[in-house]
Amino acid sequence: MLEKKNIDETLSDYKDVKIATICSHSSLQIFRGARMEGIKTVGIVLKDRRKLYESFPLGKPDEFIEVDSYSDIPEDELIAKNAVIIPHGSFVEYVGKKFDDLRVPIYGNRRSIGFERSRTKMFDWIRKAGVKIPRVLEPEQIDGPALVKFPGAKGGRGYKIVNSQKEFDEKIGGRECIIQEFIIGVRAYPHYFFSPISKVGYKTKHGTLEMLGVDKRVESSADEIARAVSLGMKPPLSFTVIGNEPMVLRESLLYDYMNIGEKISDTSFDLFGGVIGPFCVETIINEDLEIYAFEISARIVAGTNVYSLHSPYSTYYYDEPMTNGRRIARELKNAKKLKKLNEIIY
Amino acid sequence: MLEKKNIDETLSDYKDVKIATICSHSSLQIFRGARMEGIKTVGIVLKDRRKLYESFPLGKPDEFIEVDSYSDIPEDELIAKNAVIIPHGSFVEYVGKKFDDLRVPIYGNRRSIGFERSRTKMFDWIRKAGVKIPRVLEPEQIDGPALVKFPGAKGGRGYKIVNSQKEFDEKIGGRECIIQEFIIGVRAYPHYFFSPISKVGYKTKHGTLEMLGVDKRVESSADEIARAVSLGMKPPLSFTVIGNEPMVLRESLLYDYMNIGEKISDTSFDLFGGVIGPFCVETIINEDLEIYAFEISARIVAGTNVYSLHSPYSTYYYDEPMTNGRRIARELKNAKKLKKLNEIIY
Amino acid sequence: MLEKKNIDETLSDYKDVKIATICSHSSLQIFRGARMEGIKTVGIVLKDRRKLYESFPLGKPDEFIEVDSYSDIPEDELIAKNAVIIPHGSFVEYVGKKFDDLRVPIYGNRRSIGFERSRTKMFDWIRKAGVKIPRVLEPEQIDGPALVKFPGAKGGRGYKIVNSQKEFDEKIGGRECIIQEFIIGVRAYPHYFFSPISKVGYKTKHGTLEMLGVDKRVESSADEIARAVSLGMKPPLSFTVIGNEPMVLRESLLYDYMNIGEKISDTSFDLFGGVIGPFCVETIINEDLEIYAFEISARIVAGTNVYSLHSPYSTYYYDEPMTNGRRIARELKNAKKLKKLNEIIY
C-alpha cells in the first residue's frame, strides 16, 4: 500500500481541491453535492457513458476524462488537476487491488477498502466491534439454507443458496467463498458519516457520527419472488441489486443503530486507523428486534441516492438540503479551511 | 379520568406553552416541528438515551428531563415549565393507564387514548362509523388463518396466527386477546389531522380534516418472509414493526380515504368528544379495492417519520415544509393566538 | 381521428392557455404544478368528488366544471375557457375511443393514446424499438404461468394467471385479451419527459429526454401475497394497483434506461409522429439485469405522484422543485413564449 506520507506530499502541492470519481454508482449525487458547495468536479467516464452524464446539467461533472476502461485510472492527469478521488462502490470494484497504490489522494482512509474487500477481515471487524453477525459456516456445518458469497461487492450478483454440504460441494466446489447463515428478518441499510473535525452529531472516541439516512436495497428476484412462489413455481432466490428504496427505522431502534455505528467506527480505528467519511452497516432485523450486521461498506453506498436534497434524518442535523454527496464536499471544504485536509485524505 | 376543568385551570395559569414528550417514537419530528414554529420543547429522556438525542442539533429538545423510567412522568416539573404533552405511541404505551389521570395538559382529547387502548372500544368505533372491518371471531368461529392480538400497541410484536380453534386453545389458551379474520391485500396507513379551528382542508361536522401522508409499516418477518418461503422453509409469520416506508394512494382512492377519515372523525365526537389533532386509520385494501380498517391510532403515528419536510400530500395544503410534528406546533400556536387552547388541549 | 389542422385552428383562437383535466389520477399534481408556473386550471369533476378537490388549497383547480359522467367531456365550455387538456390515465380510460375526436386541444400528440390503447400496437412499438419484451403467447404456447390482460389500463384490475391452454380455455374462453409470458424479476417504472423545444436533458433525434423519476406500483394482492402463502394459503395472484412507492435505480442501469427511453421515443416518431411530453415504460428486471418492457404509458403516469416537489432525479436537472405536473406547465409556458404551442399540442 502506498504510504500516507506520499499522499501528504502530493496533497501539499495542490493549489486547489477538485472532486473526482468514476461516472457510476453515486457519482451524480457526488457531483451535485460538490456543485452545491462550490467545488469543481472531474468525471472519469467511458466514451459511451459520457452522453448520459452530460444530459444532467446539475449532476454532471465540470469536466470529463474519457477512459477505455475503468481499471485504468488516469493518475497523472488527476493529480495535475488537483483532484481528490471519492471512492464509491463501483470505483472500488472496477479498480480492484490497484486501489491501494493509487498515487492520487483519496478522500477517506484507503486502508478501509481492504477491510471491505476481504470478507474475512470484514467479519473480524464486525465481531471485534461486538455487533451480532450471522454465523459463518464451514461446509460441514450447513444444516439449512445458507448464503454463499464470492469475493467483491458485485451488487449481490451471483450469491447462491445451498441447503447442505452435498449441495455446496456440487454447486460451489472449491471456489473462494464465504458461507453465511440465512437469517429471517427485514434488511435495513443505515448511512453513517464519520468526521474527525465536525462538532455536529454523535460524539465518539475519535470524532462525530451522523446518521444521514436509511434505505432498503431492491433485489431481483428476491423482492418479488413471492409472486412466482404463489403460482407454484420454484424460482431460485437471487439477490442482484437493481435499486434502492427509502425507509425510516422505529425511533427506538435509532439507539441501537447509533450504538452499532459507534462500535464499528471505534473498532475501525483500532484495526486500521478508522473509516473516515461515509460508511454503511448492512443489517437484518428479526422479529425479536435483534439486529445482525452481515456486511460493511467502508465508503459511500448507493442507497444514499434515494434521498433528493433531504432525508428524514438529515433534517435533524441540517437546516438546508444535505445529501451524502454534499456532506462529503462540505467536509473537504471545512477541512481545507482548517488546514486539516491530510486528516481526511489518504 | 381527570376532569377537563382541572386541566383548563392548570392551563389558565400557563404563561407560555412548551411542547413536551418522551424521547422516542416520533419525538425528533415533534421537536423539529416545534423548533420550526418557534415553540420551546422539553424531552423526557432515559439517562442512556440522552446522548443520542443530544446528537441531533435540530431534532433535540431545548431541554431535557431525565427519568429512570418512562412510566414516571415528572408531572410537577412539566407543569412548572408550562409544558403541553404530545402523546405518541410510545408515550401511550409506557405510561399505560396512568395516562388518563396525568395532571399535565395533553394536546388533543385524552379520552381518545382509551378508545385506542381497548380493542373492543376501537372496533366498536370503526363499526359505528360504518367503515368495513375484518370480522372479529370467537375461537369456535376460526376456520382459516386468523390473527390473534393482545392488549396494547407494542409495534405488532407478539401477534400470533392460528388456523383453528384447536390451535387457538393450544397456543393462546385463556389469555386476553382479540381474534381477527386474516385479510389478503395490501396495507396503507393514512395520516389524518383534525382541527376544530383551521379553515384549511376537508370540512367535517366539527372542523377540518387534512390528509398529510400515507405510509406502509415495515414488519419483520412478514415483509421479507417470501425469501424464506421460496427456500422451502416454514417460518412463522410475525409482524414486529421495524420501520416505515413512504407510499401514495391511487388518486381515486383518496375519495374513499377521506370518506373513511371523515366517518371515523365524526363518530369520535359522538363517542367521546372527538379525536383532536393527528390520527391514523390502519387499513388493508384487497384486490377489489375494498378497504378494511383494522385499527385506529388516536394520536400521531410513527409512519409520519418517513416524510422529511414535505409529503406528497402536504404540498397540496401548504406552500412550505409541513410535517405532522410541525402541524401540531402550528396548531398550538394558532390556538394560542385565538385564545382557544382549551379546545385542543385536555 | 380529428385532424391536426382543426386543433391548430382552435388553438389559434386561444387568447390564453389554461390547463384542464379530469379530477383523478394525477390531477392534484397537475393543478399544483400549473399553479407553480402561474397557469390557470380547470377541473372536470363529478359532483360528489368536488368537495374532496376543494379541500386542497394548492392542489385544487382554479375552477370546476361539474359533469355527470367523465365520459361526457364538456368540449365547448373547455374551448371557451381556452383550455388545453392534460390526458392522464383515468382521462384516457374514462373517455375511451371518443378521445381521438375531442375538439379540445390536448397537450401532447393524441395519436400516442391509440398506441397505448391497443396492446397489439404497443407491443409492436416496443419490438420495433428493439427493446426486450416478454414473449406474447398463443393459447397453445402456454407452458407455465402466463399473464392474461384485457383491453384498457384499469389499474391492473382483472388480470388473470393461467398455466396451460386448458386453464386458458376454461377461465378466459373467447374474450379479447393478450397472453404474456410471466417474467420473474423486479418491476421499475421510469418517468420520461420528451420535449421538442427544450435544450435540457438527453439529446435524441427529435428533441430531449429527461428522466424525472422512477417508482414501483403497489399491487393488491401481489405485493403482500407472501404473507398468505407463508400460512399455507393458495390465494389468487392479482395486480390491482392501489398506489405507488418511490425507488431509485442502480446508477449503472441509468445508461440502459436512458437507452430504452431514447429508442421508445425515436420509434414513436417513426410510427405516429412521436410521444410529446411525459411517458413511462413499464419494465421488469431479472437477476441478470436484463430489462423487459411489458407496457408503455404514453402520457403522465400516476407513479409521478410519489414525488413531492423533488425526485432523486429531478434534482440533477433543476435547481428548483420540479414535478411532472410542473414540468408540463413549464413546457406549455415555454412553448407559448416561443410561439410553438402547436408543436406540443394536438
Side-chain angles (χ1 to χ4, degrees):
Chain A
M1 183 163 306
L2 196 76
E3 285 184 42
K4 176 81 162 77
K5 66 175 184 208
N6 294 324
I7 295 297
D8 286 346
E9 257 171 52
T10 304
L11 205 56
S12 67
D13 292 338
Y14 273 25
K15 309 276 173 261
D16 191 14
V17 169
K18 285 183 187 159
I19 274 176
T21 198
I22 283 175
C23 289
S24 191
H25 192 270
S26 48
S27 67
L28 289 165
Q29 186 200 148
I30 290 168
F31 299 140
R32 180 76 172 96
R35 187 165 273 115
M36 292 169 99
E37 293 297 308
I39 297 184
K40 293 291 177 191
T41 53
V42 182
I44 304 159
V45 73
L46 294 179
K47 207 182 188 74
D48 67 350
R49 292 316 196 243
R50 178 163 179 163
K51 183 183 167 187
L52 172 67
Y53 282 86
E54 277 179 332
S55 76
F56 299 106
L58 301 172
K60 72 178 171 193
D62 292 299
E63 46 182 325
F64 287 95
I65 301 177
E66 283 187 16
V67 294
D68 292 324
S69 155
Y70 284 142
S71 67
D72 297 320
I73 296 301
E75 302 191 52
D76 293 330
E77 205 173 340
L78 286 168
I79 291 171
K81 286 183 192 298
N82 291 345
V84 172
I85 286 172
I86 313 297
H88 52 51
S90 303
F91 190 98
V92 163
E93 164 109 11
Y94 288 132
V95 175
K97 289 194 179 167
K98 288 189 207 168
F99 181 87
D100 296 350
D101 293 311
L102 284 178
R103 286 174 295 110
V104 191
I106 292 171
Y107 169 64
N109 174 3
R110 69 174 68 195
R111 287 186 190 283
S112 315
I113 302 305
F115 279 75
E116 165 179 320
R117 201 188 294 131
S118 153
R119 287 229 168 70
T120 315
K121 285 186 182 177
M122 183 198 283
F123 291 169
D124 194 45
W125 177 8
I126 298 173
R127 275 191 214 101
K128 282 215 168 80
V131 174
K132 278 197 189 68
I133 184 169
R135 277 188 308 146
V136 175
L137 307 170
E138 294 302 318
E140 57 273 19
Q141 294 177 304
I142 303 170
D143 57 355
L147 214 48
V148 183
K149 296 177 176 181
F150 304 97
K154 297 193 174 59
R157 234 174 144 174
Y159 288 3
K160 296 279 176 219
I161 297 276
V162 296
N163 288 278
S164 63
Q165 182 174 9
K166 186 160 172 291
E167 197 180 343
F168 177 85
D169 292 343
E170 283 166 19
K171 281 197 185 165
I172 317 295
R175 287 160 71 192
E176 189 190 340
C177 68
I178 263 205
I179 314 168
Q180 261 185 319
E181 172 192 16
F182 181 86
I183 302 264
I184 296 171
V186 167
R187 293 155 305 122
Y189 300 77
H191 320 142
Y192 300 100
F193 188 92
F194 173 83
S195 169
I197 60 171
S198 166
K199 302 290 171 229
V200 169
Y202 193 84
K203 308 284 176 272
T204 67
K205 256 189 223 166
H206 303 272
T208 59
L209 212 51
E210 299 164 38
M211 220 274 273
L212 289 175
V214 183
D215 78 293
K216 208 159 58 165
R217 290 198 189 144
V218 182
E219 298 174 342
S220 181
S221 64
D223 276 307
E224 299 197 4
I225 200 161
R227 295 165 181 237
V229 171
S230 80
L231 297 173
M233 300 169 86
K234 294 191 190 305
L237 181 62
S238 50
F239 306 94
T240 305
V241 178
I242 63 117
N244 303 77
E245 50 187 16
M247 72 176 290
V248 295
L249 295 167
R250 262 175 100 133
E251 196 169 303
S252 57
L253 284 172
L254 278 189
Y255 177 76
D256 303 288
Y257 271 94
M258 210 45 109
N259 220 262
I260 288 174
E262 181 179 28
K263 291 194 283 190
I264 294 292
S265 172
D266 285 355
T267 308
S268 74
F269 280 88
D270 300 340
L271 288 173
F272 55 84
V275 177
I276 306 295
F279 66 99
C280 175
V281 184
E282 281 84 353
T283 65
I284 188 159
I285 311 169
N286 71 14
E287 64 178 89
D288 297 318
L289 294 175
E290 290 170 330
I291 304 166
Y292 290 84
F294 59 91
E295 268 182 32
I296 300 173
S297 298
R299 34 78 200 164
I300 188 170
V301 280
T304 58
N305 291 335
V306 302
Y307 296 109
S308 60
L309 304 183
H310 303 274
S311 90
Y313 297 103
S314 72
T315 60
Y316 300 135
Y317 297 107
Y318 296 97
D319 211 1
E320 58 190 328
M322 188 56 67
T323 62
N324 263 257
R326 185 180 195 180
R327 185 65 188 83
I328 290 170
R330 171 78 52 97
E331 187 78 350
L332 283 165
K333 214 166 75 171
N334 287 344
K336 199 179 159 198
K337 217 177 298 171
L338 297 166
K339 299 194 188 307
K340 290 185 170 181
L341 275 176
N342 65 329
E343 290 186 26
I344 64 165
I345 288 173
Y346 172 28
Chain B
M1 182 163 307
L2 197 76
E3 284 183 43
K4 176 81 163 75
K5 65 174 184 205
N6 294 323
I7 294 297
D8 286 345
E9 256 171 54
T10 304
L11 205 55
S12 68
D13 292 338
Y14 273 24
K15 309 278 173 257
D16 190 14
V17 168
K18 285 184 185 158
I19 273 176
T21 198
I22 283 175
C23 289
S24 191
H25 192 271
S26 49
S27 68
L28 289 165
Q29 187 200 148
I30 290 168
F31 299 140
R32 179 76 172 96
R35 186 164 274 115
M36 292 169 99
E37 293 296 309
I39 297 184
K40 293 291 178 192
T41 53
V42 182
I44 303 159
V45 72
L46 296 178
K47 207 181 188 75
D48 67 351
R49 293 315 197 243
R50 179 163 179 164
K51 182 182 168 189
L52 171 67
Y53 282 86
E54 278 179 331
S55 77
F56 298 107
L58 301 172
K60 72 178 172 192
D62 291 299
E63 46 182 324
F64 287 96
I65 301 177
E66 283 187 16
V67 293
D68 291 324
S69 154
Y70 283 141
S71 67
D72 297 320
I73 296 301
E75 302 191 52
D76 294 329
E77 204 173 340
L78 286 168
I79 291 171
K81 287 184 192 295
N82 291 345
V84 172
I85 286 172
I86 313 298
H88 52 52
S90 303
F91 190 99
V92 164
E93 163 109 12
Y94 289 131
V95 175
K97 290 194 178 166
K98 289 188 206 168
F99 182 87
D100 296 349
D101 292 311
L102 284 179
R103 287 174 293 110
V104 191
I106 293 171
Y107 169 65
N109 174 3
R110 70 175 67 197
R111 287 186 190 282
S112 316
I113 302 304
F115 279 74
E116 164 180 321
R117 200 188 295 132
S118 152
R119 286 229 169 70
T120 314
K121 287 185 182 177
M122 184 198 283
F123 291 169
D124 194 45
W125 178 6
I126 298 173
R127 274 191 216 100
K128 283 215 169 77
V131 174
K132 278 198 188 68
I133 184 169
R135 278 188 308 146
V136 175
L137 307 171
E138 294 301 318
E140 57 272 21
Q141 294 176 304
I142 303 172
D143 56 355
L147 214 47
V148 183
K149 297 177 176 181
F150 304 98
K154 298 194 174 58
R157 236 174 143 175
Y159 288 2
K160 298 278 177 218
I161 297 276
V162 297
N163 288 278
S164 63
Q165 182 173 8
K166 188 163 171 288
E167 198 180 342
F168 177 86
D169 291 343
E170 284 165 19
K171 281 197 184 163
I172 316 295
R175 288 159 70 193
E176 188 191 342
C177 68
I178 263 204
I179 314 169
Q180 260 185 320
E181 173 193 13
F182 181 86
I183 301 263
I184 295 171
V186 167
R187 293 156 304 124
Y189 300 77
H191 321 143
Y192 300 100
F193 188 93
F194 173 84
S195 169
I197 60 171
S198 167
K199 302 289 171 229
V200 169
Y202 193 85
K203 308 283 175 272
T204 67
K205 255 189 225 167
H206 303 272
T208 60
L209 212 51
E210 300 163 39
M211 219 274 271
L212 289 175
V214 182
D215 78 292
K216 208 159 58 167
R217 290 197 189 145
V218 182
E219 298 174 343
S220 183
S221 64
D223 276 307
E224 298 197 5
I225 200 162
R227 295 166 182 238
V229 171
S230 80
L231 296 173
M233 300 168 85
K234 294 192 191 304
L237 181 62
S238 50
F239 306 95
T240 306
V241 179
I242 63 119
N244 303 78
E245 51 187 15
M247 72 176 290
V248 295
L249 294 166
R250 262 175 102 133
E251 196 169 303
S252 57
L253 285 172
L254 278 189
Y255 177 76
D256 304 288
Y257 271 94
M258 209 47 108
N259 220 263
I260 288 174
E262 182 179 26
K263 290 193 286 192
I264 294 291
S265 173
D266 284 355
T267 308
S268 75
F269 280 88
D270 300 340
L271 288 173
F272 55 84
V275 177
I276 306 295
F279 67 98
C280 175
V281 184
E282 282 83 353
T283 65
I284 188 158
I285 311 169
N286 72 12
E287 64 177 89
D288 296 318
L289 295 175
E290 291 171 330
I291 304 166
Y292 290 84
F294 58 92
E295 268 181 32
I296 300 173
S297 299
R299 32 80 201 163
I300 188 170
V301 281
T304 58
N305 291 335
V306 303
Y307 297 109
S308 59
L309 304 183
H310 303 275
S311 90
Y313 297 103
S314 72
T315 60
Y316 299 135
Y317 297 106
Y318 296 97
D319 212 0
E320 58 190 328
M322 188 56 67
T323 62
N324 263 257
R326 184 180 195 180
R327 185 67 189 83
I328 291 170
R330 172 76 53 97
E331 188 77 352
L332 283 165
K333 215 165 74 171
N334 288 344
K336 199 178 160 200
K337 217 177 299 172
L338 297 167
K339 298 194 188 309
K340 291 185 169 181
L341 275 176
N342 65 329
E343 290 187 26
I344 64 165
I345 287 173
Y346 173 28
Chain C
M1 182 163 307
L2 197 75
E3 284 183 45
K4 176 82 163 75
K5 66 175 185 206
N6 294 324
I7 296 296
D8 286 344
E9 256 170 55
T10 305
L11 205 55
S12 68
D13 292 338
Y14 273 24
K15 309 277 173 260
D16 190 14
V17 168
K18 285 184 186 160
I19 274 176
T21 198
I22 283 175
C23 289
S24 189
H25 192 270
S26 48
S27 68
L28 289 166
Q29 187 201 148
I30 290 168
F31 299 140
R32 179 73 171 99
R35 186 165 274 115
M36 291 169 99
E37 294 296 307
I39 297 184
K40 293 291 177 192
T41 53
V42 182
I44 303 157
V45 72
L46 295 178
K47 207 182 188 74
D48 66 350
R49 294 312 197 245
R50 179 165 179 162
K51 182 182 168 188
L52 171 67
Y53 282 86
E54 277 179 332
S55 76
F56 299 107
L58 301 172
K60 71 178 171 192
D62 292 298
E63 46 182 323
F64 288 95
I65 301 178
E66 283 186 16
V67 294
D68 291 325
S69 153
Y70 283 140
S71 67
D72 298 319
I73 296 300
E75 303 192 51
D76 294 329
E77 204 173 341
L78 286 168
I79 290 171
K81 287 184 191 295
N82 292 343
V84 172
I85 286 172
I86 313 297
H88 52 52
S90 303
F91 190 99
V92 164
E93 164 109 9
Y94 290 131
V95 175
K97 289 194 179 166
K98 289 188 205 165
F99 182 86
D100 296 349
D101 292 311
L102 284 178
R103 288 175 293 110
V104 191
I106 293 172
Y107 169 64
N109 175 2
R110 70 173 68 196
R111 288 185 190 283
S112 315
I113 301 305
F115 279 74
E116 164 180 320
R117 201 188 293 132
S118 153
R119 287 228 168 71
T120 314
K121 286 185 182 177
M122 183 198 283
F123 291 169
D124 195 46
W125 177 7
I126 297 173
R127 274 191 215 100
K128 282 215 169 77
V131 174
K132 277 197 188 68
I133 183 170
R135 278 188 308 146
V136 175
L137 306 171
E138 295 301 318
E140 57 273 21
Q141 293 176 304
I142 302 171
D143 57 354
L147 214 47
V148 182
K149 296 176 175 180
F150 304 97
K154 298 194 174 57
R157 233 172 146 175
Y159 287 2
K160 297 279 177 217
I161 296 276
V162 296
N163 288 279
S164 63
Q165 183 173 9
K166 187 163 171 289
E167 198 179 343
F168 177 86
D169 291 344
E170 284 166 18
K171 282 197 185 165
I172 316 295
R175 287 159 70 191
E176 188 190 341
C177 67
I178 263 204
I179 314 169
Q180 261 185 320
E181 171 193 16
F182 182 86
I183 302 265
I184 296 172
V186 167
R187 294 155 304 123
Y189 300 78
H191 322 142
Y192 300 100
F193 188 92
F194 173 84
S195 170
I197 60 171
S198 166
K199 302 290 171 229
V200 168
Y202 193 84
K203 308 283 176 271
T204 67
K205 255 189 223 166
H206 303 272
T208 59
L209 211 52
E210 300 163 38
M211 219 274 273
L212 289 175
V214 183
D215 78 292
K216 208 159 58 167
R217 289 198 189 144
V218 182
E219 299 174 343
S220 181
S221 65
D223 277 306
E224 298 197 5
I225 199 162
R227 296 166 181 237
V229 171
S230 80
L231 296 173
M233 299 168 87
K234 294 192 191 305
L237 182 61
S238 50
F239 306 95
T240 306
V241 178
I242 63 118
N244 302 77
E245 51 188 14
M247 73 175 289
V248 295
L249 294 166
R250 263 174 100 133
E251 196 169 304
S252 56
L253 285 172
L254 278 189
Y255 178 75
D256 303 288
Y257 271 94
M258 210 44 108
N259 220 261
I260 287 173
E262 182 179 27
K263 291 193 285 191
I264 295 291
S265 172
D266 284 356
T267 308
S268 74
F269 280 87
D270 300 340
L271 288 173
F272 55 84
V275 177
I276 307 294
F279 66 98
C280 174
V281 184
E282 281 84 352
T283 64
I284 187 158
I285 311 170
N286 71 13
E287 64 177 89
D288 297 318
L289 295 175
E290 291 170 330
I291 304 166
Y292 291 84
F294 59 91
E295 268 181 32
I296 299 173
S297 298
R299 33 81 201 162
I300 188 171
V301 280
T304 59
N305 290 336
V306 302
Y307 297 108
S308 60
L309 304 184
H310 303 274
S311 90
Y313 297 103
S314 72
T315 60
Y316 299 135
Y317 297 106
Y318 297 97
D319 212 2
E320 58 190 328
M322 187 56 67
T323 62
N324 263 257
R326 184 180 195 180
R327 185 66 189 83
I328 290 170
R330 172 77 52 97
E331 187 77 351
L332 283 165
K333 214 166 73 172
N334 288 343
K336 198 178 160 201
K337 216 177 299 169
L338 298 166
K339 298 193 188 309
K340 291 185 169 181
L341 276 176
N342 66 329
E343 290 186 26
I344 63 165
I345 287 173
Y346 173 26

